[in-house]
Amino acid sequence: MLRLVLPKGSLERATMQLFEDADLAVNRASDVAYRASIDDPRIDEVRILRPQEIPVYVADGLFDLGITGRDCIEERGSEVVSLGKLAYSKATGNPARIVLAVGADSPASTLAELAKSVADRPGRLRVSTEYPELTRRALDAHGIVAEIALSYGATEAKVPDIADAVVDMTETGSALRAAGLKVIETLLVSHTELIANPKAADDPDKRHAMEQLLTLLQGTLEARGKVLVKLNVSAENLDAVLAVLPSMRAPTVSELSGGGAFALETVVPKSDINVLIPALRDQGATDILELPLSKIVH
């Protein structure tokens, strides 16, 4: 039913892991193969291509569905339908940022200040970037006439000899700082998104299948870093245990057969579990179980 295109490159490994965790494992002949398959009746075809190209191909109807970053969508100006955000990126669960950075010794600390500083200087501001259209729009908005050069990588290494400033993607900013640069403006916060061809999204059967796939992917991401905790507690210790027990909404409390005791269960961050389990035991909880989660669907 659906023709799906997935990103190759920096998002590739994280995307393949997400699909595997969502029980939508991507099968291909080798790690460099561009054609693949998913053993799911909703997916007829899978291709793996550069994320910068995916918005164009989805907009043109070559694929019904794709995963790419908001940065690629905005850079290409493609008319696609965003079905939802997927909270993952190359290395973290945080969105990436498209930022403008200058040398750490630059007096400018904002894009507006940079505009003032270059207004009377001879020659144009030199900017190196993999996002020429995003960069041009941002600089035009501040009245900056610049010489924008397309970068093919190692963008942060081009200041000051080749460029006065760079526009680059970052998750943590560490590579820019290591190169002696400072970020003065965030041009775009870029989430990974599931996008669809507008015509395909208008087809009721295809749209239903798309939304089912989105449910699986988002449910898998929601479950990451969380565990299910189950425990028993006597009636006299119930309030004390509830006082230290976090939950997504409210813990499930069920009275045990025979009365006088309760079974509790709740979802908590995995990072808290090493402190939580001893605290629950201190308050009288017994039979404490920690269980991994695959998906959480609200």
Side-chain angles (χ1 to χ4, degrees), residues 13-172:
R13 179 177 295 183
T15 301
M16 298 304 157
Q17 187 63 57
L18 171 60
F19 272 70
E20 182 174 341
D21 294 345
D23 300 306
L24 297 166
V26 179
N27 306 304
R28 50 181 173 165
S30 72
D31 289 344
V32 296
Y34 291 91
R35 293 182 181 273
S37 64
I38 294 176
D39 187 15
D40 187 285
R42 293 161 293 201
I43 302 172
D44 288 339
E45 177 187 348
V46 181
R47 295 284 292 274
I48 301 164
L49 299 171
R50 297 294 299 179
Q52 296 89 339
E53 301 171 316
I54 288 176
V56 177
Y57 296 151
V58 171
D60 288 347
L62 298 177
F63 299 95
D64 301 306
L65 197 62
I67 288 180
T68 189
R70 172 51 54 177
D71 58 308
C72 298
I73 301 168
E74 295 294 333
E75 175 66 21
R76 302 306 294 267
S78 302
E79 293 295 327
V80 296
V81 175
S82 178
L83 298 175
K85 295 176 182 177
L86 297 171
Y88 78 99
S89 52
K90 178 176 68 173
T92 71
N94 300 320
R97 295 180 299 137
I98 309 303
V99 301
L100 188 146
V102 296
D105 58 353
S106 171
S109 58
T110 66
L111 185 51
E113 290 180 3
L114 180 65
K116 291 180 181 178
S117 70
V118 302
D120 299 323
R121 59 171 278 176
R124 295 183 175 185
L125 181 75
R126 301 170 301 160
V127 183
S128 179
T129 182
E130 295 181 34
Y131 301 95
E133 293 306 317
L134 276 172
T135 301
R136 185 171 290 106
R137 291 197 294 267
L139 297 181
D140 284 350
H142 285 78
I144 299 175
V145 178
E147 179 184 316
I148 300 173
L150 179 63
S151 173
Y152 293 94
T155 307
E156 68 276 5
K158 296 172 181 175
V159 174
D161 299 328
I162 300 172
D164 303 306
V166 299
V167 172
D168 204 5
M169 173 182 280
T170 182
E171 289 185 34
T172 65

Side-chain angles (χ1 to χ4, degrees), residues 156 173-181:
E156 68 276 5
S174 58
L176 294 171
R177 289 191 295 271
L181 305 182

Side-chain angles (χ1 to χ4, degrees), residues 203-243:
D203 181 294
D205 291 336
K206 288 188 175 183
R207 183 60 176 255
H208 184 238
M210 292 173 182
E211 290 176 349
Q212 287 185 331
L213 295 175
L214 180 63
T215 294
L216 293 174
L217 296 173
Q218 290 184 329
T220 299
L221 290 168
E222 177 69 17
R224 287 183 175 176
K226 298 183 177 70
V227 295
L228 178 66
V229 173
K230 304 179 73 169
L231 57 97
N232 293 334
V233 62
S234 62
E236 60 266 27
N237 291 326
L238 178 61
D239 289 342
V241 166
L242 288 173

